[in-house]
Amino acid sequence: MNFKIRPAAKDDCKEISRMILELAVYENMSDQVKISHEELERDGFCENPFFECLIAEVPEEHKSKDGFTIVGYALYFYTYSTWKGRSVYLEDLYVMPEFRGNGIGKGLLSSVAQGKRSSVYGCSCLCSTGILPLETSTLLKELRTSPSARAGTLYDLTDKTWTI
């Protein structure tokens, strides 16, 4: 399937908010979502943003059954590991169910990791508490067996063989 990964823009926040709620519904935790698209706009697109986000977008001819062309996102931020140094923390990686199995999640994750390994931040690891849906994720199975995987959910971005 043809898709494009790009940095999120302020105008994408309504779509990101929609997918955050979809993920929360899947996890049976929709009552836990307390932010709106306005807060995403404020916190992600200010002078010193609290997070960055990548968007997966399909062409109009492949839009979802509900008419969406933005079908996935990866939301992440920077942190510091006392063992590894500069790190990027992946908060969410989500692809709409009807688009899973097309490499979109892998594309998002690779874009986060590759972009941060070579960026000015020079991040040395990718951290995450989990990539959902855990029980059905082929991507997660690939990650667990990746040569770059370390204890828990820490992935060494300085490893030149880093692949998923």
Side-chain angles (χ1 to χ4, degrees), residues 19-34 94 100 132-135:
M19 291 183 289
I20 288 170
L21 189 55
E22 286 177 16
L23 178 58
V25 166
Y26 175 83
E27 295 174 342
N28 294 317
M29 298 181 78
S30 58
D31 60 323
Q32 299 297 309
V33 177
K34 304 296 182 200
Y94 178 76
R100 294 180 189 157
L132 296 173
L134 296 177
E135 65 277 359

Side-chain angles (χ1 to χ4, degrees), residues 96-116:
M96 291 174 61
E98 66 188 277
F99 292 93
R100 294 180 189 157
N102 292 301
I104 296 172
K106 187 174 184 175
L108 284 164
L109 183 59
S110 293
S111 294
V112 170
Q114 296 296 325
K116 296 312 141 195

Side-chain angles (χ1 to χ4, degrees), residues 120-136:
V120 66
Y121 294 106
C123 294
S124 62
C125 63
L126 171 67
C127 312
S128 178
T129 56
I131 298 170
L132 296 173
L134 296 177
E135 65 277 359
T136 61

